[in-house]
Amino acid sequence: MKALAVIPTYNERDNLPDLVRAVLANPSFAVMVVDDGSPDGTGAIADGLSSEFPGRVDVVHRTGKRGLGRSYVEGLQRALAQHDADLICQMDADWSHDPKYLPAMVNACTAHDVVIGSRYLNGVSVVNWPLRRLILSTFANRYIRAVTGLRANDCTSGFRCWRRAALAALPLDRVVSDGYAFLTEMLFEAHERGARIGEVPIIFVERRMGSSKLSSGVLLESVLTPWRLRLRYLFGRP
Ligand SMILES: Nc1nc2c(ncn2[C@@H]2O[C@H](COP(=O)(O)OP(=O)(O)O)[C@@H](O)[C@H]2O)c(=O)[nH]1
Ligand SMILES: [Mg+2]
């Protein structure tokens, strides 16, 4: 089965080259980098990788307002429109989502429509996070499960592998949130459509190079989105 890894980037110059090489070490994989005009030149580095691996690295240079959710929408829509991969994965560029887990996720897609690389499947497998961030993330997941009815242990993981048809069934252009809330919203849309959601355990290691783009606006949105999703579920889409 052919697979495509969609990787959003913002200032990931030091992480991207080795990461792309590690993903492409799997012969069935191609990569799409969705760069948001990174000031550190990540976009040009991605172009270089595209020349180094002809036909295996697609690069999207976004302009205008930057955002992780917007980048995913654009990248995933393009993956469906312009690539013929059977499986479409999403992963971060900072090595927190180690490509070594991709084969297990791809395998699990034989029995599931979307497979999550999960930090909270067997207890907690997160390395190098400050305690407050760990508490925030585990609390967020309990909260999301309670409010939305999703059952996955890690609803906010950005490490996912989709069967093409399950991804194509989602109304990507109507997903309005950004950041982590975007990930919850996508999973909720899939759940509403009867997608079989699976999880594979990963050990998530906090980035060593570059910096996190987590912001308080993104956090507030994550608190409100589960309620919006639940209300929409109860009362139908406006
Ligand atoms: N295209 C794009 N990528 C982003 C943006 N913000 C973050 N990213 C990428 O999304 C991934 C996760 O971001 P990160 O800052 O590590 O978030 P954290 O892991 O939650 O701390 C990384 O690959 C980032 O480069 C953005 O606004 N646009
Ligand atoms: Mg990160």
Side-chain angles (χ1 to χ4, degrees):
M1 290 225 273
K2 285 177 79 171
L4 175 73
V6 178
I7 307 177
T9 55
Y10 190 73
N11 289 347
E12 300 289 2
R13 184 179 60 188
D14 297 327
N15 291 312
L16 191 66
D18 287 349
L19 184 83
V20 167
R21 289 194 185 98
V23 173
L24 294 182
N26 302 287
S28 58
F29 264 83
V31 162
M32 181 196 296
V33 178
V34 186
D35 186 64
D36 248 339
S38 298
D40 77 347
T42 301
I45 288 171
D47 288 336
L49 289 161
S50 177
S51 321
E52 188 181 332
F53 298 98
R56 292 187 75 196
V57 180
D58 186 12
V59 185
V60 180
H61 296 280
R62 294 190 69 245
T63 50
K65 193 168 175 357
R66 86 170 175 94
L68 185 55
R70 288 161 213 269
S71 297
Y72 266 132
V73 170
E74 201 171 318
L76 297 172
Q77 282 177 334
R78 177 173 163 127
L80 291 167
Q82 299 183 15
H83 290 258
D84 62 356
D86 310 292
L87 301 174
I88 296 161
C89 304
Q90 327 167 222
M91 64 191 291
D92 291 355
D94 60 1
W95 283 94
S96 290
H97 300 155
D98 196 314
K100 73 181 176 195
Y101 298 114
L102 286 171
M105 292 170 71
V106 163
N107 275 339
C109 279
T110 52
H112 297 98
D113 298 304
V114 54
V115 171
I116 303 169
S118 176
R119 298 163 289 185
Y120 306 123
L121 200 53
N122 304 316
V124 174
S125 51
V126 175
V127 178
N128 274 350
W129 261 7
L131 187 59
R132 63 188 145 74
R133 185 148 184 206
L134 195 57
I135 291 171
L136 185 71
S137 176
T138 48
F139 172 78
N141 267 288
R142 278 168 192 263
Y143 173 82
I144 289 163
R145 281 200 300 276
V147 176
T148 62
L150 281 165
R151 280 190 290 274
N153 291 284
D154 196 345
C155 297
T156 55
S157 168
F159 200 9
R160 294 177 178 175
C161 194
W162 295 85
R163 291 174 80 109
R164 184 185 189 87
L167 186 64
L170 304 184
L172 282 173
D173 47 353
R174 280 192 299 185
V175 172
V176 295
S177 47
D178 219 59
Y180 306 100
F182 170 79
L183 294 164
T184 307
E185 188 164 357
M186 269 184 90
L187 202 62
F188 184 78
E189 294 283 357
H191 171 73
E192 269 190 313
R193 285 163 181 75
R196 297 164 301 166
I197 300 173
E199 289 181 279
V200 160
I202 65 156
I203 297 175
F204 177 104
V205 182
E206 177 56 347
R207 64 163 73 242
R208 277 170 299 149
M209 291 183 281
S211 55
S212 169
K213 289 101 205 170
L214 180 81
S215 72
S216 48
V218 160
L219 282 181
L220 177 65
E221 189 183 40
S222 322
V223 172
L224 299 177
T225 297
W227 287 102
R228 183 169 56 75
L229 297 174
R230 175 163 182 179
L231 293 173
R232 198 177 72 205
Y233 182 74
L234 291 176
F235 300 115
R237 228 175 240 288

